[in-house]
């Protein structure tokens, strides 16, 4: 069993985080870590899990409204690109997502008759 220094492990994890943030998929990041560092898929998965946890921790720093605006903007971009490339099912899917996260969420919030610590 090969021993890995903390510096090398930290470097691999930072590379995994960087690649996930750049938009690479998990399986693609896994494949590149295995290829570049000569590690097992299991070790690459551990590095990817660490990177994913860092991304989730960073999400706590942002407000919900900012995240919602970003999500809607990204979904709108997907919709427009799907229309340009004539991928109608992807366009419909992005429209459904925008409907779900905006209109249905607002209706669900408005339909709550109780608030606070009301218990039955």
């Amino acid at each position: 069993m090969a021993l890995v220094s903390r510096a090398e492990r930290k470097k691999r994890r930072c590379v995994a985080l960087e690649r996930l943030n750049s938009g690479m998929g998990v399986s693609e990041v896994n494949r590149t870590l295995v290829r570049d560092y000569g590690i097992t898929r299991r070790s690459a998965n551990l590095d990817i899990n660490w990177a994913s946890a860092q991304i989730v921790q960073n999400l706590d720093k942002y407000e919900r409204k900012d995240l919602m605006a970003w999500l809607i903007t990204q979904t709108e971009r997907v919709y427009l690109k799907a229309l340009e490339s004539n991928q109608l099912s992807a366009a419909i899917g992005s429209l459904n997502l925008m409907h779900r996260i905006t209109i249905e969420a607002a209706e669900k919030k408005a339909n709550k008759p109780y608030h606070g610590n009301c218990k039955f």
Side-chain angles (χ1 to χ4, degrees):
M1 176 190 281
L3 296 176
V4 178
S5 68
R6 288 184 184 184
E8 182 182 346
R9 182 177 295 124
K10 183 170 176 74
K11 182 180 177 187
R12 280 194 334 236
R13 289 178 173 181
C14 289
V15 167
L17 178 61
E18 181 182 311
R19 289 178 180 171
L20 286 174
N21 280 333
S22 71
M24 287 178 82
V26 173
S27 61
E28 192 175 359
V29 172
N30 191 323
R31 195 175 326 118
T32 58
L33 287 176
V34 169
R35 182 189 66 222
D36 295 346
Y37 292 98
I39 58 176
T40 63
R41 291 178 57 85
R42 183 175 183 272
S43 295
N45 279 333
L46 292 174
D47 295 338
I48 292 170
N49 288 340
W50 178 87
S52 297
Q54 295 302 311
I55 291 172
V56 170
Q57 284 179 352
N58 289 338
L59 284 178
D60 292 337
K61 297 178 184 175
Y62 298 101
E63 291 187 27
R64 283 183 167 269
K65 290 180 182 179
D66 295 335
L67 290 174
M68 180 72 89
W70 178 83
L71 181 61
I72 291 171
T73 303
Q74 295 301 317
T75 308
E76 183 181 16
R77 286 182 182 175
V78 169
Y79 169 72
L80 292 174
K81 286 184 178 183
L83 278 182
E84 287 175 2
S85 60
N86 205 23
Q87 296 179 353
L88 300 180
S89 60
I92 291 171
S94 60
L95 280 178
N96 284 334
L97 178 61
M98 282 194 285
H99 179 267
R100 214 174 304 137
I101 62 178
T102 55
I103 298 172
E104 286 182 10
E107 288 174 355
K108 186 177 179 181
K109 188 175 181 181
N111 288 337
K112 280 190 171 180
Y114 305 106
H115 57 82
N117 290 329
C118 182
K119 297 178 182 174
F120 292 97

